[in-house]
Amino acid sequence: GHCIKGKAREVISQEVWMILGRDNLEEWSNEDGSQTIQAKSIRVHSDYVPNKSDADPACLWDGEKNVKQIVGKKGTVAGWGRDESGKVYSREAKQFDLPVIGHFVQDIKNNTGPCNGDSGSGFLMRVNGRWTVRGVVSISLLNELDRSCDLEQYVVYTDVAQFIDWVWSILK
């Protein structure tokens, strides 16, 4: 939601491209097996409010909806957001394995994890031998000094499981 409606103007589908199978953001020649696809449409949940983290989903989860069932389990996040040297984006995707705590806020506090630019990245969990998106990177607490993510704090994710009915209503 915030990538589409949180800007000075709403982004339209003709401006959104999905790049699948590419790892390096600086070498734009096609990597083996990569695909670039333009979005046909964009749907933002009707409950989404700009500058809030509620109702900001992107993908499906077909398992248990109760977050208590996944507390203590680990998931994986990958993205090209701000790196540890302060560069606005990482040249190649970085991957983090992180545990779920509380109400779908994952515990990092070790200077690793998603940062500015990683919004929308999936929080993937392995379920019955396959990767499944359970959450989506939403917001991180900011370091007041440089207004970048504070990796000594928590990152908040949208819990995709809570939006399954809405997603299916769009896909039908």
Side-chain angles (χ1 to χ4, degrees):
H2 72 270
C3 293
I4 304 301
K5 289 192 170 193
K7 308 294 179 195
R9 64 176 181 77
E10 188 168 329
V11 175
I12 59 173
S13 62
Q14 292 83 355
E15 299 171 319
V16 177
W17 292 83
M18 294 157 283
I19 302 171
L20 310 170
R22 182 169 292 153
D23 185 51
N24 190 314
L25 293 181
E26 293 181 354
E27 294 179 17
W28 284 97
S29 60
N30 280 340
E31 294 179 37
D32 288 344
S34 70
Q35 294 181 11
T36 302
I37 302 167
Q38 186 175 22
K40 290 182 181 178
S41 66
I42 298 172
R43 305 280 178 99
V44 177
H45 195 278
S46 61
D47 291 343
Y48 174 72
V49 177
N51 301 316
K52 304 262 184 189
S53 59
D54 294 341
D56 197 11
C59 297
L60 291 176
W61 167 268
D62 61 0
E64 172 63 47
K65 287 185 179 182
N66 187 340
V67 74
K68 291 178 182 176
Q69 301 298 315
I70 62 169
V71 169
K73 295 183 179 176
K74 287 192 174 187
T76 301
V77 176
W80 290 267
R82 183 181 296 263
D83 69 12
E84 61 278 354
S85 68
K87 190 174 176 186
V88 175
Y89 67 91
S90 298
R91 179 176 185 217
E92 294 182 345
K94 297 194 177 202
Q95 175 179 315
F96 310 96
D97 293 325
L98 307 162
V100 175
I101 64 164
H103 294 285
F104 208 59
V105 178
Q106 125 280 329
D107 187 8
I108 44 180
K109 294 193 172 189
N110 63 358
N111 286 317
T112 61
C115 193
N116 303 61
D118 286 325
S119 295
S121 296
F123 181 83
L124 300 128
M125 300 184 79
R126 202 128 168 97
V127 178
N128 298 324
R130 69 173 204 200
W131 289 104
T132 306
V133 178
R134 173 60 194 241
V136 176
V137 175
S138 185
I139 58 171
S140 62
L141 297 177
L142 295 180
N143 176 321
E144 292 299 321
L145 187 62
D146 64 3
R147 303 298 295 164
S148 180
C149 61
D150 184 349
L151 293 178
E152 290 293 321
Q153 301 297 324
Y154 298 108
V155 174
V156 178
Y157 295 80
T158 297
D159 187 354
V160 172
Q162 305 312 311
F163 294 92
I164 295 298
D165 295 339
W166 174 75
V167 173
W168 278 116
S169 75
I170 296 299
L171 295 175
K172 290 181 180 177

